[in-house]
Amino acid sequence: KAGVTQTPRYLIKTRGQQVTLSCSPISGHRSVSWYQQTPGQGLQFLFEYFSETQRNKGNFPGRFSGRQFSNSRSEMNVSTLELGDSALYLCASSLGPGQGVYEQYFGPGTRLTVT
Amino acid sequence: AQSVTQLGSHVSVSEGALVLLRCNYSSSVPPYLFWYVQYPNQGLQLLLKYTTGATLVKGINGFEAEFKKSETSFHLTKPSAHMSDAAEYFCAVSDAGQGAQKLVFGQGTRLTINP
């Protein structure tokens, strides 16, 4: 079974631009969570989607948004990029709540650099 | 709110020696606890998890961890370190209500193995 895939793997953007990152979960997984990893702040939860609905949201500004499609694939968007948005963005998939299996599987991440 | 503290941002051990990575958590509800490992330029890989039941849990690559409620700890151990264990390790907490979809991570511990 294929793992979690994230595209693109690397991205360079300029301040003020916007960016969209994509995540394809493991087949059969319906929940997708996004995390930001930076040297200063560590790993921080951005949001989680299940059945096309945002279930949880972390403490990030409204410039960070996401969505999930009917095939469980998810995208996250960051508008008006700032230098501080440079980070590794990780996507994780799981079966979803109520399934009795509490494991998230992470993709390799998208490395975003804002210049 | 939940939180995780990993004692020691860097740990160095000799090959063949005991590995002990410390994790303390704070949670107002029964926690689910996880250890993940991250190799350079990769995503996170689940080593082991505690949800309910037996407090000593065994994971992959010879690692194990013990949930101690009275000490609010979930330390990770491995009897004999191998060079391939060099990586960054993250302890994370979630709660049953979230079904482990929303993880709160510690700051990570970088493990170095000396030959």
Side-chain angles (χ1 to χ4, degrees):
Chain A
K1 189 181 278 191
V4 179
T5 58
Q6 292 187 246
T7 56
R9 290 293 312 277
Y10 301 91
L11 206 49
I12 300 176
K13 290 287 189 178
T14 305
R15 272 180 302 175
Q17 288 185 316
Q18 75 166 16
V19 66
T20 299
L21 311 181
S22 181
C23 171
S24 292
I26 291 171
S27 177
H29 285 193
R30 298 172 60 198
S31 174
V32 173
S33 298
W34 288 88
Y35 296 84
Q36 182 196 63
Q37 184 177 25
T38 60
Q41 299 300 316
L43 281 154
Q44 293 185 285
F45 174 79
L46 279 158
F47 28 63
E48 180 224 344
Y49 287 87
F50 175 72
S51 292
E52 302 178 65
T53 300
Q54 187 180 88
R55 277 206 335 139
N56 287 293
K57 190 178 192 308
N59 189 27
F60 279 83
R63 300 184 298 107
F64 292 81
S65 63
R67 60 178 175 170
Q68 186 179 36
F69 302 95
S70 58
N71 62 358
S72 296
R73 190 177 68 85
S74 177
E75 290 181 347
M76 67 163 283
N77 183 276
V78 188
S79 62
T80 320
L81 284 166
E82 300 177 359
L83 294 178
D85 297 333
S86 294
L88 181 67
Y89 290 88
L90 293 163
C91 166
S93 80
S94 63
L95 287 171
Q99 301 300 310
V101 178
Y102 306 106
E103 297 179 7
Q104 287 194 62
Y105 296 85
F106 282 79
T110 294
R111 173 77 60 186
L112 172 64
T113 302
V114 182
T115 62
Chain B
Q2 296 173 309
S3 65
V4 174
T5 301
Q6 291 183 237
L7 300 176
S9 58
H10 291 87
V11 170
S12 182
V13 302
S14 298
E15 190 174 19
L18 171 72
V19 174
L20 171 60
L21 304 183
R22 300 178 187 273
C23 171
N24 287 89
Y25 69 91
S26 172
S27 179
S28 59
V29 297
Y32 286 179
L33 295 159
F34 306 83
W35 275 100
Y36 283 86
V37 61
Q38 186 176 35
Y39 298 99
N41 299 315
Q42 293 186 27
L44 303 176
Q45 181 183 11
L46 179 65
L47 281 175
L48 49 78
K49 68 177 188 279
Y50 169 79
T51 54
T52 59
T55 56
L56 180 63
V57 292
K58 296 184 185 298
I60 62 172
N61 302 339
F63 285 94
E64 62 181 38
E66 186 171 11
F67 169 60
K68 292 187 176 181
K69 184 179 178 180
S70 61
E71 299 178 7
T72 61
S73 69
F74 191 58
H75 302 330
L76 182 70
T77 61
K78 181 174 181 178
S80 178
H82 191 272
M83 296 298 290
S84 62
D85 295 327
E88 188 148 23
Y89 292 79
F90 294 92
C91 182
V93 65
S94 181
D95 67 66
Q98 298 292 349
Q101 267 69 43
K102 178 183 177 184
L103 297 174
V104 174
F105 286 91
Q107 285 295 99
T109 298
R110 185 168 299 279
L111 177 64
T112 302
I113 311 297
N114 302 310

